[in-house]
Amino acid sequence: MNQQSPRLPDSPMIDLQGVTKEFLKPSGEVHTVLRNINLRVAKGEFCSIVGPTGCGKSTTLSLIAGFEAPSLGKVQIKGEKLEGINSRASCVFQTENAFPWKTVIDNVSLGLRLNGTSKNDAFQEARRWIEKVGLKGFEGHYPHQLSGGMRKRVALAQCLITQPEILLMDESFSALDVHTRHLMENELLKIWEETSASVFFITHDLEEAIALSDRVIVLTAGPAATIKGDYRINLERPRNVAEIRFDKQFAELHEQIWNDLRDEVMVSYASANNA
């Protein structure tokens, strides 16, 4: 088996240092979502984060995106403290992000056009990305004319056309059927391997996390969630996400990580029942 990819440098693309995030409840009580999170993600690294529902996975992504600021600690992107929205990052969420009144090529080219690229140049680049995600011939279609998997391909092209250094994905494939999901996971890996983007991927599916990632991070149950485990996934690349699940090392990793994750899921479940 191949060891960790040599392309990953020592300096992190994403660096969370002692990050704590608190919110004020309507009652005036302080609710701590995350506590003392220390996490580095290297350039070109694919990092997934798993944990019980409500443990702060999406909050962590929001801190990296710059949608939220930490209550304590700091977020650094490429060695610089993050202030405001992270201009180096693009996001793919579970919900659709294409404008329903715009065609595929209009949606995919929008980011470039908003950045000042001419319509002709933006369309030319959009056609390249539309073909790259397997949607050649659908440039003039509207989102409602596409399947769920095809709309996810549009979302990937929308984000990647701007060549982000960081790709943030929050349960991006969870609404898809299992076969379409595997196709999209393989498509994501194929495109990612052609770029140097760092990926921060949220999922509830531990198998998906292992199949895609260089690392899997396990968060404890909330409140005040922190990092419980940080696992290196030394599975050979390139990978087929459906086939890699039958690898003996995959099964061993799954058992090891699930032992950590299961305990936190049970804590979360007991807490919810006692609420």
Side-chain angles (χ1 to χ4, degrees):
M1 292 292 180
N2 289 350
Q3 296 303 307
Q4 181 60 34
S5 170
R7 67 178 176 167
L8 303 181
D10 294 331
S11 56
M13 175 63 72
I14 302 166
D15 191 3
L16 277 62
Q17 301 177 11
V19 166
T20 293
K21 182 60 183 176
E22 299 172 338
F23 292 101
L24 193 64
K25 294 182 177 181
S27 63
E29 180 185 359
V30 174
H31 175 65
T32 303
V33 180
L34 298 169
R35 175 176 55 81
N36 194 31
I37 299 293
N38 292 286
L39 175 63
R40 288 184 166 193
V41 179
K43 180 180 179 182
E45 188 172 25
F46 199 123
C47 180
S48 288
I49 187 165
V50 297
T53 299
C55 70
K57 297 184 295 294
S58 293
T59 300
T60 307
L61 183 145
S62 292
L63 291 167
I64 296 170
F67 301 151
E68 302 277 354
S71 304
L72 295 170
K74 64 180 177 179
V75 178
Q76 289 196 162
I77 303 299
K78 217 171 181 178
E80 298 179 358
K81 184 178 179 181
L82 180 60
E83 302 283 358
I85 298 299
N86 186 349
S87 62
R88 300 182 187 273
S90 287
C91 303
V92 182
F93 296 106
Q94 181 178 351
T95 54
E96 304 294 342
N97 59 348
F99 291 107
W101 60 89
K102 289 183 177 291
T103 63
V104 168
I105 196 166
D106 283 326
N107 271 295
V108 172
S109 63
L110 184 60
L112 291 182
R113 295 182 67 186
L114 290 174
N115 287 336
T117 304
S118 70
K119 182 176 180 178
N120 285 341
D121 289 346
F123 271 30
Q124 182 177 348
E125 184 66 5
R127 288 188 185 95
R128 188 174 75 86
W129 276 100
I130 289 167
E131 182 174 2
K132 190 181 284 287
V133 298
L135 288 178
K136 185 177 181 180
F138 291 90
E139 292 85 352
H141 285 60
Y142 291 88
H144 74 272
Q145 297 174 311
L146 306 176
S147 68
M150 294 168 79
R151 290 195 295 272
K152 286 300 178 186
R153 291 172 187 269
V154 172
L156 276 178
Q158 278 180 298
C159 289
L160 293 170
I161 193 173
T162 59
Q163 300 183 34
E165 296 178 77
I166 300 169
L167 185 61
L168 305 174
M169 305 186 72
D170 191 351
E171 294 285 348
S172 302
F173 304 142
S174 61
L176 301 175
D177 66 82
V178 64
H179 302 295
T180 305
R181 186 170 183 165
H182 287 170
L183 287 172
M184 286 305 306
E185 290 164 349
N186 281 329
E187 196 68 41
L188 171 62
L189 286 182
K190 178 182 175 182
I191 295 172
W192 166 72
E193 286 166 0
E194 296 174 1
T195 74
S196 58
S198 303
V199 180
F200 187 81
F201 191 91
I202 293 176
T203 179
H204 280 95
D205 186 335
L206 180 55
E207 287 194 0
E208 179 178 56
I210 297 170
L212 292 174
S213 305
D214 296 315
R215 284 167 66 204
V216 173
I217 306 297
V218 177
L219 286 186
T220 62
T226 192
I227 292 175
K228 182 178 185 180
D230 185 342
Y231 294 88
R232 187 68 61 181
I233 309 301
N234 290 321
L235 297 173
E236 189 174 6
R237 293 193 187 274
R239 299 176 193 164
N240 180 297
V241 297
E243 295 174 2
I244 197 70
R245 289 167 163 83
F246 298 103
D247 187 287
K248 180 182 178 182
Q249 189 179 359
F250 182 98
E252 292 170 352
L253 283 164
H254 188 281
E255 181 180 8
Q256 184 183 11
I257 301 172
W258 172 242
N259 286 337
D260 255 358
L261 181 58
R262 177 189 55 210
D263 294 342
E264 299 309 315
V265 171
M266 294 306 297
V267 169
S268 179
Y269 179 76
S271 178
N273 283 342
N274 293 330

